[in-house]
Amino acid sequence: GGAAPAGQLGAGDAPVTAEERPGGGWVLANGLLRIEVDGRGLVVSAYDEEGRRESVAPGEAANLLQIHPDLPNHWDAWDVDAFYRHNVTDLTGTDALELAETDERAATVRVARSFGDSAVVQRLTLRAGAKVLDVDTEVDWHESEMFLKAAFPLDVKAERSAAETQFGHVFRPTHTNTSWEAAKFEICAHRWLQVEEPGWGAAVVNDSTYGHDVTRTIREDGGQTTTVRLSLLRAPRYPDPETDQGTHRLRFALAPGATVGDAVREGHRINLPERTVRGGGEAVAPLVAVEGDQVVAEAVKLADDRSGDVVVRLYESHGGRGHAVLRAGTPVTSVTETDLLERPLPEPETTGAHTLAADGSVEVTLRPFQILTLRFARP
C-alpha cells in the first residue's frame, strides 16, 4: 500500500488512469482496483482485479455520508441509543464534482456537499501500486444533536467482523440473535475493521475514528450485504453546547480484497504515512528491519536509561503463531528480552529471542497476539 516516490512509479506499478464515466462521474484504475465514482460523487463500484469480484453491493453506493438525529434518553455527550437509526438522511446532493488531479502516480476526484449549517469536501484518491481507495474528508461542522456516518455496503457474506484493538484484534458477530449481540449496535475499533467470507474480504481503515457499526441484510437475489459504517461526528449540547463545532479532517480508506494482514498494514500506513526527506541520494538502512508481515514492530526507541541501547517492541498481529527475523541496521553486541519497562526478564518467554546471529539478525517465534520487547545493546 505504500505510495511510489514523488515523480516516479514504483517498480512494476501500472500507471493510474482516469476516464469520464457514462452518465457522469469518473472511472479510476491502477491495475489492482477499478473505481467508479458516479455523478453524485458516490462510489458505485470498487472492482478487485486480482480477486475478480465487485466490492460494493448491487444497487448500493459506498462512501455514502448519512446523518441521523441524535437524541439519547440520558447522558447527551456519552450515550448513543439504538433508536437513532429510525431516521436517516442520505447526503447525495453535490455542490461541486471534479477530477481535481491526475497523473500516472495518482488520480483524485473532489466532491463538495452542504447540509444543514455544515459543509463537507472529500478527496477520493487512487494511487499507483495501492490496493486501497483513500478518502480525505474535511467537514465544517455546525450541527446540533446530529450524528454523521460514512457507509460502505459490501457484497460479502460475513458472519463476524474483526476490529483492531491494542496489539491485536477482536471478533464480533454481525447478527443480532441475542440481546448481548443486539446491544453491540455501536462498536469500537482502532485503525481498522475487516469483514470476510471464505476466500475474500474487505477492510475499512481510518486515522481518527473509533466508532463503527456493522449490519447485514439479505437481498432479494439471495446474497448478503454487510454494511460497515464509520461514526464521524456527533453534536451533543450537554455539557458543552459547542461540542465538536468547527473544522475536522478525517481520513479513511476502503481496502477491497483485504485479509486481516492487509488491514494491519493499511491501518498502519494511514496512521503513519511515509515521510520524504531530501538526502545525499544514498540508501539509508533502517534501524531495525523485520522479515515477515505477521510480526509487527510497533515501537523502535532508545532505552529510557540513556545507555544508547535500542528497544524494539513487537507483536503478533494475525492471531496465529508468528515467525520473523529481525535485522539491526547498526552493530549490536547482544540482545535481551525485557518487560514493558525495559527490565531484563529472568526467564525469557520466547525461544530464540537471545540468539544473535553473526550478521546481527535475531529469529523469534511468537504465540498468537504475543507482545515481545527486545533490547539491542550497541558497542
Side-chain angles (χ1 to χ4, degrees):
Q8 66 185 63
L9 289 177
D13 292 343
V16 179
T17 61
E19 301 175 352
E20 290 190 16
R21 177 180 178 272
W26 283 271
V27 178
L28 313 180
N30 67 353
L32 300 173
L33 296 178
R34 182 178 181 273
I35 306 295
E36 290 190 36
V37 181
D38 72 1
R40 302 169 296 171
L42 302 178
V43 179
V44 292
S45 175
Y47 188 82
D48 176 2
E49 298 283 6
E50 182 182 10
R52 294 187 294 180
R53 61 172 287 172
E54 176 61 58
S55 306
V56 181
E60 301 287 349
N63 189 41
L64 171 64
L65 297 178
Q66 298 178 304
I67 196 163
H68 301 264
D70 183 28
L71 300 162
N73 290 329
H74 303 286
W75 310 115
D76 197 23
W78 291 271
D79 284 3
V80 175
D81 287 340
F83 56 75
Y84 81 85
R85 293 182 180 175
H86 297 167
N87 190 330
V88 60
T89 301
D90 294 342
L91 304 180
T92 58
T94 60
D95 298 333
L97 176 63
E98 61 179 341
L99 185 63
E101 299 170 13
T102 179
D103 60 31
E104 64 179 7
R105 293 175 291 113
T108 298
V109 174
R110 178 183 179 275
V111 188
R113 309 183 193 278
S114 56
F115 55 95
D117 296 321
S118 304
V120 58
V121 174
Q122 291 189 300
R123 295 172 61 84
L124 285 64
T125 301
L126 184 64
R127 296 172 290 118
K131 202 174 176 182
V132 295
L133 174 66
D134 292 308
V135 182
D136 190 312
T137 301
E138 188 169 300
V139 185
D140 187 15
W141 182 247
H142 297 285
E143 300 307 301
S144 178
E145 297 180 323
M146 302 295 279
F147 198 2
L148 182 65
K149 292 261 189 176
F152 292 84
L154 304 172
D155 188 13
V156 57
K157 185 181 186 298
E159 303 297 323
R160 63 184 185 179
S161 64
E164 193 199 36
T165 185
Q166 57 270 41
F167 300 108
H169 55 269
V170 296
F171 293 108
R172 298 185 182 94
T174 59
H175 53 75
T176 54
N177 292 343
T178 71
S179 60
W180 285 47
E181 292 157 0
K184 297 175 185 177
F185 60 87
E186 183 80 5
I187 59 177
C188 62
H190 285 182
R191 286 172 286 209
W192 55 265
L193 191 145
Q194 187 257 6
V195 292
E196 68 178 10
E197 62 189 39
W200 193 87
V204 177
V205 301
N206 78 90
D207 77 339
S208 54
T209 306
Y210 292 145
H212 299 75
D213 70 75
V214 182
T215 55
R216 67 180 193 178
T217 55
I218 305 301
R219 305 190 299 263
E220 291 185 1
D221 64 2
Q224 178 178 309
T225 298
T226 301
T227 301
V228 176
R229 296 201 306 167
L230 295 165
S231 301
L232 301 183
L233 288 168
R234 295 182 67 220
R237 292 196 298 176
Y238 177 82
D240 178 6
E242 299 297 319
T243 301
D244 283 352
Q245 300 295 300
T247 301
H248 302 262
R249 186 184 178 198
L250 311 156
R251 295 189 306 142
F252 44 90
L254 172 65
T259 63
V260 163
D262 295 329
V264 171
R265 182 186 66 253
E266 295 300 337
H268 277 81
R269 179 198 64 81
I270 199 170
N271 281 272
L272 300 168
E274 294 176 348
R275 291 185 297 166
T276 301
V277 180
R278 284 192 175 275
E282 299 179 2
V284 178
L287 285 174
V288 176
V290 182
E291 296 177 9
D293 288 344
Q294 192 170 348
V295 176
V296 175
E298 182 66 20
V300 179
K301 61 184 290 292
L302 291 175
D304 279 358
D305 62 8
R306 300 187 179 184
S307 62
D309 292 354
V310 175
V311 174
V312 181
R313 183 158 299 120
L314 310 160
Y315 77 98
E316 193 289 315
S317 64
H318 293 191
R321 301 285 169 174
H323 179 79
V325 178
L326 278 70
R327 300 186 186 279
T330 59
V332 173
T333 58
S334 66
V335 59
T336 305
E337 184 175 347
T338 73
D339 62 15
L340 295 178
L341 296 179
E342 303 172 11
R343 301 172 301 194
L345 293 178
E347 296 182 6
E349 299 179 4
T350 308
T351 303
H354 288 81
T355 305
L356 184 65
D359 63 354
S361 66
V362 179
E363 291 192 38
V364 295
T365 299
L366 304 186
R367 65 178 180 269
F369 296 143
Q370 182 178 353
I371 303 169
L372 172 66
T373 305
L374 296 179
R375 180 173 180 141
F376 292 82
R378 298 193 295 169

